[in-house]
Amino acid sequence: QAQLVASGGGLVQAGGSLRLSCAASGSSRNIFTIGIIGWYRQAPGKQREIVGYITRASATNYAESLKGRFTISTDTANNMVYLEMNNLVPDDTGVYYCNRWPTHRTDSWGRGTQVTVSS
């Protein structure tokens, strides 16, 4: 299965917004070939956690603590999945990844994209 690659991270002040993008490393196929696509993040010193996921039909689900602030969407024309993050707080700092949902223990995660929220 092709690896999914997250991009678009950066440094943002608390209260600001960022939009992350997810693309298949080999984009010849529809991104949803891998299945349901989830966003994950790993804060410094913490385990990786689920942010939310999206189906090919654009049904979404989010971690309860993030509902209302984070929005996952997909762009069929560009074969991309996005994570829009609003009202960011320092605790949102971490490395963000996209991968299928549910994940497999053997999945390759790649580098992810760093999001840093300053206070």
Side-chain angles (χ1 to χ4, degrees):
Q1 296 278 15
Q3 184 175 332
L4 301 183
V5 180
S7 63
L11 176 64
V12 63
Q13 294 186 72
S17 300
L18 280 176
R19 189 182 75 167
L20 308 183
S21 299
C22 177
S25 59
S27 57
S28 297
R29 288 178 165 81
N30 189 290
I31 191 169
F32 286 99
T33 297
I34 196 171
I36 295 170
I37 295 175
W39 282 96
Y40 305 82
R41 68 182 185 181
Q42 186 169 24
K46 296 182 174 63
Q47 294 190 72
R48 187 165 50 229
E49 64 178 348
I50 183 72
V51 171
Y53 60 75
I54 188 168
T55 72
R56 60 177 56 83
S58 297
T60 55
N61 194 283
Y62 304 93
E64 287 293 330
S65 62
L66 300 177
K67 285 183 177 179
R69 290 201 301 122
F70 287 19
T71 302
I72 301 171
S73 61
T74 184
D75 183 333
T76 302
N78 291 311
N79 200 34
M80 301 281 282
V81 168
Y82 303 104
L83 174 65
E84 184 172 4
M85 306 181 292
N86 301 305
N87 300 317
L88 286 162
V89 296
D91 283 349
D92 293 321
T93 293
V95 179
Y96 285 69
Y97 305 85
C98 53
N99 197 5
R100 61 183 166 183
W101 186 92
T103 61
H104 294 184
R105 293 292 295 267
T106 57
D107 283 351
S108 178
W109 289 81
R111 295 187 301 275
T113 186
Q114 176 71 44
V115 172
T116 303
V117 184
S118 61
S119 60

